[in-house]
Each structure stands twice: as C-alpha cells, then as structure tokens.
Amino acid sequence: MERYEELSVLLEREAIEQEYTWNLEKMYASVSEWKRAFDKPRSWPSQQEYEANLGAPAILLNLLDKVFAEQRELENLYIYANHLYDTEMGEVVSKEISLQIKAKYMSYGQAVAWIHPCILRLPESPLTELIEHPSLQPYRIFLQNIARMRPHTLSPEEEALFARSLKPLSSIAMVFQNLNNADFVFPSAVDEKGEERKLTHGMYIQYLRSQDRTLRRSAYKALLGEYASHQNAMVELLQGSVLADVYTATAKKYPDCLTAALYPNNIDPKVYHNLIKTVRAHLPLMHRYISLRKEYLGLSSLKPYDLYVPLVSSEEFQIEYADAREALLASLFPLGDVYREEARKGLYEERWVDVYETPKKHSGAYSGGCYDSYPYILMNYHPRGVDGAMILAHEHGHSMHSKKSREMQNYANAKYPIFVAEVASTLNEQLLLEYLLAKASTRQEKLYLIGYAIDQLRGTLFRQTLFAEFELQMHEWAEKGVPLTPQLLHETYARLHQEYYGPDLSLDDLLGFEFLRIPHFYSCLYVYQSATGMSAALNLASKLQKNEQSREKYLAFLSAGGSQFPLDLLQNAGVDMTKKEPIVSAMHHFESLVEKLQALLHEVAP
C-alpha cells in the first residue's frame, strides 16, 4: 500500500491501521459504556449543607474530597466524548455525547461556584490554620490560591455584579473571533505563474514559507490589506478589550493590568520586565541574523514576507512518522532509561497518538487526556520538512509532563500552571533538534535544521517578547486615559519591528496593521509566557547535558505538577526566572546558532 504520507486523498478512519490511532477504549469500551457512566445519578454538595461548619477541618475535607471526586469523574466523561468527537466531527453520536457532557460540566460548575466565596468568608486567621492543618495538606495549594485572592475579592453583592459583567465584556473577544475566523473573506493570492490561490489563515502561513516570492508578497498584501481596510473597527474592538482589562484590574483592586494578569500565578512583575529588558539588550544578534538571511536569499531588500521562508526548501527534508518516532526516542537519551522506556511504551504499546489526518478530524495538534487516562496526542502528521517531527516532540513533551504529574500528585495538584506548560514541550523539541543536527550529513541538511532552530527562537523568544512589549504599552496607555487610535498603534507596532529586526528589514505600511490579526492580544498580557517558557527550557536542556543531578531535578519538576507556584517549580529545577540569566543563556544559544549559520553560508564548496 502507498505510504500514508504520500496519499493524495485522505483515507477514511476505518482504513487507518490501529497502531496509528489512539486507544480511547482504555477509558470506555464503547459509547454505550460511556452513556451508562454518564447516566449515573449524581448529587453535588450544596451550600446549605456545608456553609455553617466550613471552618471545621473534617467538614472542609469532606467537602473537597466530594467535589474533586465528582470533578474527576466528569473529566473522564468529558475527555472521552471530546476526543472521540475530534476524530469524527461529522458523526451524530460523538457530537451528541460531546454536547451532553459540556452541558453537565457547566451545571456542575454553577452548582459548586459557592465554594470559593464561602471559604473566603472565613476570617484570615482560621483560614490560615485550615491551610496548615495536617488533614488538609492534599489541598494546601488549592486553599492557598483561594486565600491569596482575599485582597482582590469583593463583597458577595459586588462579586455577583462583577460576574454579571463578564459575559458582555467577553463578547468583545467573541466578536473578534467571529470576524477573524468566519466573516473575513480574503482576496486570492497570485503565484509566479499568475495562477490564483485561495487565501485563508492556514494557507497564509504556508504561502509565507513558499520559495515563490511572488506568492509570498501577494498573500501578505492580500491578507494584511483586508485588515487595514477595517482598521477603525478592529482598533475599537482591541481598545474595548484593553479597557475591559483595565476595568477588571480596577474593580478587583489591583494597581495595574500587569499585576492583575500575573498575580493569580504568583508571578513577580519583574519577570515580565526582565524579559523585555534582556531581549532588547541582545537585539544586535537578531539584526545580525536578518543581515545573514538577506544575504543568503540574495535579496536587495528583505521584506516582512521574506522572514518565514526556510533557507532550504522543506521539500528537500522529509521525515516519515515511523522515522520521527524513532528519532524522538533516540533524542531523549539525556532524560534517562526510565523516561525513554515510558515514552516508547506510550508511542507504541499504549497508543497515545492519533497520527494521520482523516476526513472530519480536528485540525492541528494537541496533548490531551485527563488524570485517569493516557496523555493522548492528536496529530495530523505530514512528513514535509521537520514540522511533523517537531510537533510530535512538542506534544509528547506535554504528555510526559502530564503523565509524570498525574502519577506523583493527587488529583487536586496534578495540573501544572500555564506559566510552566511550555517548558517540557520546548525542551523535547530542543533535544530532537540537537539529535537531528548531530545526524545531519550534508550542508543542505545542516542549513535547513539550523535555519529552523533559529526561526523557532525568532518566532517564540523575540517575536513574542515584541508582542509582550506592544501589549504592555497598550495597557499602560489605556490606564493613563490615552486613546488607542489606529495611527498610534500602527506607528508603535511598526517602530517595534524596526527596533527588533534592525535596518536590514525594509518595512512597508502594511506591517503596521499586522497587530489587528493577533488573537492573543485579546487575552490580557498572556503572550510573554511563550518566551519565558522557551528560555527556561533551553536553560534546562543545557543543564541536562552536564550532570545527572540536573536530570533528577528536571524529572522532579515534571512530577511536581501544580503542587507549587510556577516560579518555585522552576527554581527547584534549577532556573530562576526572576533573574536575567535564563534569558541571557537563551540568547547565547541563539548566538551560537547564528555563528554556525554564518560559517555554513560562507563555507567554500569543495
């Protein structure tokens, strides 16, 4: 049979061999079994039953045990239904059970919403005693997180009023999503042969990576031109979202939006500022790379649409899934034999991964599962270039993090915070890249892989920091009452790009409107975590090569889940994100890649 990667027509799901599909039967043998579990009678703890005696350790323990046990069962039902639906989105049964469990989960959330406010009604000293009580140690971090929010929790009446404001405020982001994903219809792009190409968000990225510069330029102008033509309405939406963040910070008694965004995870604002300051101090490295890219591509003027095309065509570098799986396992050597065996078992025997694209399957990739399931991975694998292999490494890193956390932590502490979520995934990517580079035998392979590694850093460490700086500036202006006009934001976004990328990037008017299409700007001061996560991962990856103690610390970090605050988790692993050193270390890594690229570009052919 023709290899999956070479098929021009998608196979039906039934035609995919079982080893390339995930094993959802491990959760429920059938939909009928799922329905029996779903129909089980349930009674959720009521406020009237517990509120009066919530200060008694035994009563609070009983309540939390019941709540988390019920949530754990519902999560099993939720994950099975949604994972099943994601592989057969056109099937009536899977859609039906997915909707049923979502409704049930929503009802559960509403039924237990009283718990946090009631716990906070306890005086500060008795609550501190409860947090320290031996019987409540399994819920220590859960209770600490609630207690920390006391200064930013309003009266019951005010909280109720604030809660009612959240839905209309969240509609701003929903309007953007509907415009961006459903209503915008982009003009066609045109390639070097004069042929029209359909332009969508997904195809836009592909076109920017094309060796056809005519197609890149056409796609860039068509897509950003559409946003520019709606600049007034789109800026008003973005300003509304930023003002909603200002409202939330003010209502919840935070000094500013940055503190409001970082406080729930106990992140010191200096982490945010350190990131921007340190990346800015190393911008000459990016300028150097942009100069090399311009030289290699042979362009008299490097435009924004020339930033994404690989230095070597991805068509020259192919990795089939079977080879990617083997390469990933080989690359995990620094993490030890136990980790590698668990990874091998998941990829082969336990069937964590749903590998290939099939009709009506969810697009993209993710790591999923729940506390009682395998840490499932959804993919739509394609062998072109190294993307498929790197996505596998990325999602597998998440899944191993989840596996270790779930094995070593109780249910309440197993979910790791978003701030550290990208560390394990990025570290696995780094290990795989290092392995592939060590195996590369030709100049073209090395150019492709080094270029890929540099562009990953450019896109995550530099670009996301640029986004973080732009987003912080918007919020600071809004806090001071400065109107966010199209001209102000356009000029600021363009200026940041010139500063970050240097004089060899020739800007045009359209780049200044790119911010209008970035969905992360509708999540308050969120994007910086991609840059800090990559910096921490690179730092830890370098330490793994040095001694076994670093490996043990890293494995302990994976096993800690959410049992500590994010900065403490990383501190124990050997990385202090309140200091500039992890960012500086990542910059040194970027510099070493640029030096390797320069040496290859100037290498004299034999």
Side-chain angles (χ1 to χ4, degrees):
M1 186 184 79
E2 190 177 4
R3 291 185 313 209
Y4 290 115
E5 291 91 343
E6 295 177 347
L7 292 169
S8 57
V9 178
L10 297 182
L11 287 176
E12 293 296 328
R13 185 161 184 82
E14 294 74 17
I16 302 291
E17 294 174 45
Q18 189 182 63
E19 69 171 297
Y20 300 118
T21 63
W22 52 21
N23 181 12
L24 291 184
E25 293 77 15
K26 177 72 174 177
M27 299 188 71
Y28 298 96
S30 64
V31 172
S32 296
E33 183 179 320
W34 181 93
K35 287 182 175 179
R36 285 193 292 273
F38 179 84
D39 290 335
K40 169 186 166 184
R42 300 177 186 280
S43 60
W44 296 324
S46 67
Q47 183 172 349
Q48 293 75 16
E49 181 184 0
Y50 284 94
E51 183 177 20
N53 300 304
L54 210 53
I59 299 298
L60 181 57
L61 178 63
N62 178 267
L63 169 65
L64 295 180
D65 281 345
K66 284 186 177 180
V67 167
F68 281 108
E70 188 64 36
Q71 182 176 313
R72 183 171 168 179
E73 286 189 34
L74 290 174
E75 191 172 40
N76 273 301
L77 292 163
Y78 184 93
I79 289 298
Y80 175 87
N82 281 277
H83 282 24
L84 183 67
Y85 176 65
D86 281 350
T87 56
E88 47 183 51
M89 299 180 77
E91 295 295 323
V92 173
V93 172
S94 58
K95 184 174 184 178
E96 180 183 278
I97 66 172
S98 175
L99 292 173
Q100 284 177 330
I101 187 57
K102 284 178 181 176
K104 179 86 75 172
Y105 224 129
M106 188 175 294
S107 297
Y108 162 80
Q110 294 170 350
V112 298
W114 60 270
I115 294 175
H116 285 216
C118 281
I119 290 175
L120 277 176
R121 286 177 200 160
L122 296 171
E124 188 170 348
S125 180
L127 180 53
T128 300
E129 291 177 9
L130 284 172
I131 292 171
E132 299 297 331
H133 196 277
S135 68
L136 288 166
Q137 289 314 290
Y139 302 111
R140 180 186 179 88
I141 194 75
F142 171 79
L143 293 170
Q144 279 183 326
N145 275 319
I146 293 176
R148 287 187 69 253
M149 300 309 293
R150 186 186 294 276
H152 307 290
T153 301
L154 310 177
S155 69
E157 295 76 18
E158 290 172 326
E159 283 289 349
L161 184 62
F162 178 78
R164 293 180 66 180
S165 72
L166 294 180
K167 187 170 183 179
L169 290 176
S170 66
S171 67
I172 298 170
M174 291 301 298
V175 172
F176 167 78
Q177 289 176 24
N178 279 283
L179 282 172
N180 201 42
N181 298 320
D183 292 348
F184 273 157
V185 178
F186 303 111
S188 296
V190 180
D191 63 21
E192 61 189 4
K193 296 178 182 178
E195 296 179 358
E196 290 192 352
R197 303 281 198 94
K198 183 178 180 181
L199 181 59
T200 64
H201 288 293
M203 296 308 297
Y204 178 64
I205 302 302
Q206 291 188 37
Y207 295 158
L208 288 187
R209 293 175 178 172
S210 170
Q211 298 294 318
D212 181 346
R213 196 179 192 218
T214 301
L215 178 60
R216 298 200 304 267
R217 179 173 57 247
S218 176
Y220 171 84
K221 289 185 174 181
L223 187 130
L224 292 189
E226 185 69 14
Y227 286 97
S229 68
H230 294 84
Q231 59 184 278
N232 292 306
M234 297 296 286
V235 166
E236 282 302 320
L237 276 179
L238 184 55
Q239 178 165 238
S241 179
V242 172
L243 290 174
D245 296 336
V246 174
Y247 161 75
T248 297
T250 304
K252 289 290 190 173
K253 304 176 184 177
Y254 291 102
D256 50 51
C257 291
L258 181 62
T259 306
L262 272 55
Y263 187 87
N265 273 329
N266 200 22
I267 304 295
D268 192 323
K270 69 182 178 182
V271 171
Y272 200 105
H273 293 296
N274 268 344
L275 172 68
I276 295 173
K277 183 179 179 180
T278 308
V279 169
R280 274 196 162 273
H282 291 83
L283 288 181
L285 292 175
M286 176 55 65
H287 302 172
R288 181 179 168 190
Y289 166 63
I290 293 299
S291 178
L292 284 172
R293 170 174 272 272
K294 177 182 175 182
E295 174 191 342
Y296 182 74
L297 294 177
L299 299 173
S300 59
S301 177
L302 187 78
K303 293 291 188 178
Y305 49 78
D306 298 318
L307 290 173
Y308 297 89
V309 56
L311 297 179
V312 174
S313 172
S314 59
E315 298 293 341
E316 299 183 33
F317 198 94
Q318 304 277 314
I319 306 181
E320 296 176 35
Y321 176 74
D323 296 328
R325 185 167 55 177
E326 283 301 305
L328 173 59
L329 289 174
S331 73
L332 299 176
F333 179 80
L335 294 173
D337 292 340
V338 173
Y339 183 101
R340 288 178 69 204
E341 174 56 23
E342 290 176 341
R344 184 203 64 77
K345 193 174 180 181
L347 290 172
Y348 284 88
E349 298 170 19
E350 294 177 344
R351 293 171 37 220
W352 295 357
V353 190
D354 203 86
V355 180
Y356 295 110
E357 185 178 7
T358 53
K360 300 176 183 177
K361 181 180 177 181
H362 191 290
S363 61
Y366 64 70
S367 169
C370 60
Y371 191 79
D372 297 302
S373 77
Y374 291 142
Y376 295 111
I377 298 170
L378 180 136
M379 295 194 71
N380 287 275
Y381 191 88
H382 198 286
R384 187 188 306 114
V386 75
D387 284 341
M390 297 308 297
I391 290 170
L392 176 63
H394 184 98
E395 302 304 340
H396 186 265
H398 282 311
S399 287
M400 287 299 291
H401 194 177
S402 298
K403 181 180 189 297
K404 293 288 189 181
S405 297
R406 292 164 187 168
E407 286 176 346
M408 298 305 296
Q409 301 297 326
N410 65 12
Y411 178 78
N413 292 335
K415 292 181 181 178
Y416 42 83
I418 292 175
F419 186 81
V420 303
E422 294 304 320
V423 173
S425 54
T426 306
L427 184 139
N428 271 25
E429 285 188 64
Q430 178 62 22
L431 293 179
L432 179 57
L433 264 176
E434 290 177 0
Y435 174 82
L436 293 174
L437 268 169
K439 300 279 286 184
S441 57
T442 68
R443 179 174 180 269
Q444 289 297 92
E445 286 178 340
K446 292 174 184 177
L447 272 174
Y448 175 80
L449 290 167
I450 290 172
Y452 182 93
I454 289 174
D455 284 336
Q456 288 291 96
L457 281 163
R458 183 190 67 79
T460 303
L461 185 51
F462 287 91
R463 181 172 165 82
Q464 299 302 318
T465 302
L466 185 158
F467 284 175
E469 186 170 353
F470 177 72
E471 193 178 7
L472 180 61
Q473 181 65 82
M474 283 196 297
H475 283 80
E476 288 177 345
W477 275 329
E479 288 163 352
K480 295 174 183 176
V482 176
L484 303 182
T485 64
Q487 181 179 359
L488 177 63
L489 298 187
H490 177 279
E491 290 175 353
T492 303
Y493 194 78
R495 173 181 56 79
L496 286 172
H497 274 76
Q498 197 71 80
E499 291 170 357
Y500 271 67
Y501 290 102
D504 280 311
L505 180 67
S506 299
L507 299 186
D508 55 33
D509 186 63
L510 283 177
L511 180 67
F513 293 111
E514 186 190 44
F515 71 91
L516 295 173
R517 69 178 294 265
I518 308 299
H520 284 315
F521 291 154
Y522 288 82
S523 299
C524 183
L525 300 162
Y526 169 88
V527 296
Y528 83 100
Q529 295 174 109
S530 296
T532 54
M534 173 165 269
S535 299
L538 290 171
N539 197 274
L540 290 170
S542 67
K543 292 176 184 292
L544 284 175
Q545 314 290 348
K546 296 175 182 177
N547 56 65
E548 191 169 330
Q549 185 180 18
S550 294
R551 178 204 298 170
E552 295 307 314
K553 284 185 177 181
Y554 176 69
L555 294 176
F557 158 77
L558 296 183
S559 300
S563 61
Q564 297 172 292
F565 290 116
L567 292 179
D568 296 330
L569 289 168
L570 288 174
Q571 180 79 55
N572 292 340
V575 180
D576 186 352
M577 292 306 298
T578 65
K579 301 187 184 311
K580 67 178 183 180
E581 282 73 20
I583 316 295
V584 172
S585 177
M587 290 298 165
H588 288 163
H589 177 68
F590 181 81
E591 183 176 22
S592 71
L593 289 169
V594 172
E595 288 174 351
K596 290 176 183 177
L597 176 64
Q598 186 169 16
L600 279 170
L601 293 182
H602 297 157
E603 187 178 273
V604 178

